[in-house]
Structure formats: C-alpha cells, structure tokens
Amino acid sequence: MNMMKPKLNQVPFVSVENMMRLALDVGVEQCMVELASHIEEDFRRWPLFDKRPRVASHSTDGVIELMPTSDGTDYGFKYVNGHPKNMKEGLQTVTAFGLLASVDTGYPVLLTEMTILTALRTAATSAMATKYLARENPKTLCLIGNGAQAEFQALALKAVNGITKVNLYDIDRTASEKCLRNLADSGLELAICSTAEGAIEGADVVTTCTADKNYATMLTDNMIGAGLHINAIGGDCPGKTELHRDVLLRSEIFVEYPPQTRIEGEIQQLDADYPVRELWQVITGEDTGRTSAGAVTLFDGVGFAIEDFSALRWLRTKVGERPGFSQALDMIADPDDPRDLFGMVQREAGRMAMAGI
Ligand code: NAD
C-alpha cells in the first residue's frame, strides 16, 4: 500500500554473544566510561523523565522486577531478577533483558540482553557517584562481595576515578580468587583480605556488592574512617541490606529516586521521613555534595530505570555504528494495510500452501 513505509517490523536484537563481542570491541573500561557519561547526561535532565518505583514481584527466594521510564522521545524498560540462592545452583543471581521503543510510534527500536549491560551500567553508576561524592584522587577501593558484579565495579572505578589498588573480600575466598585471576592483567594492584576490616584499611572508597536475601551487616560503624565514600549497591530489596544502621546515621546519604530507595535501599532501616539527598541534584549543582573532607558519604544505590534507559540509548548508538553486532528480529506484525492484520495471516496460509509447508 504505502511503498515509502519504513521497515519498522525488523527490530535490532543484541544477543549475549553480540554484547560480549561489542564490549570487547569497544573495550570494557571504555564502555563504562561512555556509560557513566550517558547516565550523567540523563541525571542532568532528571525532571523530564517519567519516574516511578520499579514494579517488583517478590517470592520466597527472589524478586522479578520491571523498570520502565521515558524521556518523552524514547521509552525503555528492563526485566530483571534477583535470586541470591541461584549462585549455589550454578545460576546467575541477576539476569536481565530490555527494550527501547519510540514514543512517537510505540514501535520497539531495540531489544537486548541486559545481564552484561546491567553489570556495566551498575559499575558505571558507582563510578559516577564516586566522582561526585568521594574525596579527590581516590586510590584504594575496598570491594566487599566478589561475585558477578565485582570486576566491573573495580574496572569502572579504575577507568573513571583513577583507582589503582583494590582490596578484595568475600565470605567465599574462591570468589576473591576468581576476581584476582580475572583482573590479573588490569594494571590494578590487588590483594585478597581475610576479613572485611582488613580490606577496608587504607581504603578511600568501599563498594559493597554482596547478595543475601537478609538484613546483613558488611560494615559496622567502627570500621568507617573519616572521609570515606561508600557505594552500597548489593542491598536492593525489602529485607536485604548490607550496612549497620549506625553507619547510615553518621553518613551523608545520597540516593537515586527516594520513593524506590526508601522501599529497597539501606535507608529502609531509617524512618520514612529521614532526610536523604538526591544524586542528580549533586550532578546539576543544586546540591554541593559532601560537606567536608572528613564527612562519610554513602551512595545507597539500588539501580534505577533511568540508568538502564541511558544504557539502552548508548547501546542503540553503538549497534547503529556496528551493524554486525545485532540481528534483525521479525518482531512486529506490520501488514501493508494496517487494518488488514487478518488478511496478512490469510496470505501467509496461501504462501505456505504454495511452498508445500
Ligand atoms: P553474586 O551472587 O554473583 O555475588 C555475591 C557475592 O557476595 C558472592 O560471592 C557471595 O559469596 C558474597 N557474599 C554474600 N554474603 C557476604 C558477606 N556477608 N560478606 C562478604 N561477601 C558476601 O551476585 P552479583 O550479581 O555480584 O550481585 C551482587 C548484589 O548486587 C546482589 O544483591 C544484586 O541484587 C545487587 N545488584 C545491584 C544492582 C544495583 O543497581 N544496585 C545491580 C546489579 C546487582
């Protein structure tokens, strides 16, 4: 009917294999540098986004969540799970996929795996928070929880913040040994520590990325020295936290989207009206960030939809520049005459009969 109609039914799909190839082609550290700047750009235009706490479906062993947002031009969502018990069964704790769509037509423009992309964007977000909240020139990172997210966290803080040394701690030493092996050629100075207290000694920044569906305590008040910056990213569900309440009470607390973080973050341990500050306002300059060199700053990161939106936006550009890194998926029924959906099905029956299918 309309010969000029663009082929919108073919949606670029980025598989896990293509995401790995892309990350290696761009360079894992470079990906996170670029993602941090995309997330920063979107945090600067925070007020124009459509925002809500993610939609979470909780079960005994985990959670399945949908994370939608829109800037009025594009719409994105991520499907993500969090199942701490999975790791013991040889499965990932966190897996994800996501989609970007045009607000104008409602048609999807990108479908992608997001397990790897989430690890990249989570690390990029920690690096961005560290850039705005830590003291100048942080050199040593204490990384507590050395699972799937860990190496990404270390490399993002190296690439964006100039971290040169990482102290690793995990209750399971084999996880720290895995990190040590994977990061052997990274140029980072690495040490495995047998206690969290040992790992935090001399650190400028601590990132906690442990997984336990419990109120857990990785950090207690006596472990926290003046001037430290903490990225607490593992506590991201009701009943799942990483820090002792006293650490929160002596920290300057920064969050992504308060209505979601009050449900899921470390601050679920505090009163519902306890004052917290918003990271996007530090980025725009409306909030000055840490108030003194000696203050303890805490980024209570739970992961917010805008970070995934930024990652989808980044990925769309990357696969646009590299056609070999995506596959076209025949995903949208798109008859020549938009009202003739049934006719399109009938014509397929004729085509199948002709082909002897
Ligand atoms: P993972 O299961 O691969 O690794 C978690 C690690 O934590 C394991 O090695 C485990 O041994 C260790 N651990 C558990 N309890 C510990 C303790 N008390 N002390 C020290 N180490 C401990 O999980 P992952 O994929 O690396 O994810 C880590 C956490 O980050 C999860 O809770 C996940 O939900 C969360 N996460 C948050 C975001 C975000 O945006 N904030 C994004 C992705 C994942």
Side-chain angles (χ1 to χ4, degrees):
M1 219 179 116
N2 177 0
M3 300 308 288
M4 299 304 289
K5 196 166 89 165
K7 274 186 88 57
L8 297 178
N9 59 328
Q10 300 284 319
V11 179
F13 167 63
V14 183
S15 63
V16 173
E17 187 186 354
N18 274 327
M19 184 66 77
M20 293 192 293
R21 289 176 54 226
L22 180 76
L24 294 171
D25 193 57
V26 176
V28 173
E29 289 182 35
Q30 180 61 22
C31 286
M32 294 189 289
V33 168
E34 293 178 13
L35 282 164
S37 94
H38 275 63
I39 296 167
E40 197 172 317
E41 265 170 41
D42 286 340
F43 271 48
R44 282 187 197 284
R45 52 195 196 114
W46 188 269
L48 71 79
F49 279 90
D50 182 20
K51 295 178 284 295
R52 60 179 58 78
R54 59 185 153 198
V55 182
S57 172
H58 294 281
S59 54
T60 320
D61 289 326
V63 63
I64 295 177
E65 298 165 325
L66 288 177
M67 302 171 69
T69 191
S70 171
D71 66 354
T73 303
D74 295 307
Y75 170 93
F77 79 82
K78 179 168 86 173
Y79 165 104
V80 63
N81 77 302
H83 285 66
K85 59 107 194 165
N86 275 5
M87 195 246 299
K88 295 189 189 72
E89 298 167 10
L91 301 171
Q92 292 284 117
T93 297
V94 175
T95 68
F97 68 89
L99 183 143
L100 195 66
S102 153
V103 168
D104 178 33
T105 59
Y107 275 38
V109 296
L110 178 71
L111 177 69
T112 179
E113 87 79 41
M114 286 190 82
T115 304
I116 295 165
L117 193 56
T118 293
L120 292 167
R121 79 81 160 121
T122 303
T125 305
S126 293
M128 182 185 75
T130 302
K131 175 177 153 186
Y132 281 94
L133 298 176
R135 287 186 301 188
E136 262 178 48
N137 278 327
K139 291 291 166 219
T140 302
L141 167 68
C142 162
L143 194 49
I144 301 184
N146 301 156
Q149 311 299 319
E151 294 88 342
F152 297 92
Q153 292 284 328
L155 291 175
L157 267 74
K158 171 183 178 246
V160 176
N161 311 105
I163 287 287
T164 57
K165 183 173 184 212
V166 181
N167 296 337
L168 300 162
Y169 172 70
D170 195 292
I171 38 168
D172 179 353
R173 192 179 168 90
T174 63
S176 305
E177 287 166 354
K178 175 251 349 175
C179 269
L180 196 78
R181 278 194 307 279
N182 288 343
L183 294 172
D185 296 330
S186 65
L188 286 164
E189 187 189 334
L190 302 161
I192 296 183
C193 304
S194 49
T195 59
E197 287 82 353
I200 212 169
E201 224 175 279
D204 305 294
V205 179
V206 181
T207 295
T208 53
C209 50
T210 65
D212 196 348
K213 207 171 188 306
N214 261 317
Y215 291 107
T217 306
M218 308 308 139
L219 300 182
T220 50
D221 193 27
N222 60 320
M223 293 162 73
I224 310 296
L228 194 69
H229 171 66
I230 306 166
N231 298 305
I233 66 135
D236 57 0
C237 255
K240 179 169 172 249
T241 58
E242 297 182 299
L243 310 186
H244 192 281
R245 189 171 180 274
D246 290 348
V247 176
L248 309 184
L249 295 177
R250 68 175 280 211
S251 300
E252 302 194 43
I253 305 175
F254 299 84
V255 303
E256 291 138 319
Y257 181 55
Q260 180 176 312
T261 313
R262 292 211 188 266
I263 300 169
E264 303 179 352
E266 297 302 320
I267 59 169
Q268 64 186 280
Q269 301 180 68
L270 303 177
D271 292 340
D273 57 354
Y274 190 90
V276 296
R277 292 149 69 188
E278 298 186 44
L279 185 56
W280 71 271
Q281 292 185 317
V282 181
I283 292 170
T284 59
E286 288 161 68
D287 182 316
T288 49
R290 73 165 42 241
T291 54
S292 70
V296 174
T297 50
L298 166 63
F299 171 50
D300 185 2
V302 292
F304 188 56
I306 293 177
E307 292 144 27
D308 298 307
F309 180 93
S310 312
L312 288 164
R313 206 164 63 71
W314 170 81
L315 184 62
R316 176 179 49 187
T317 306
K318 285 290 166 217
V319 298
E321 295 163 356
R322 293 169 172 75
F325 288 78
S326 62
Q327 298 152 253
L329 273 195
D330 180 22
M331 200 171 135
I332 301 296
D334 194 29
D336 287 343
D337 174 353
R339 286 173 302 184
D340 195 18
L341 187 63
F342 189 80
M344 186 176 83
V345 177
Q346 272 181 328
R347 283 190 292 283
E348 181 63 9
R351 197 193 65 78
M352 287 169 71
M354 292 243 307
I357 300 171

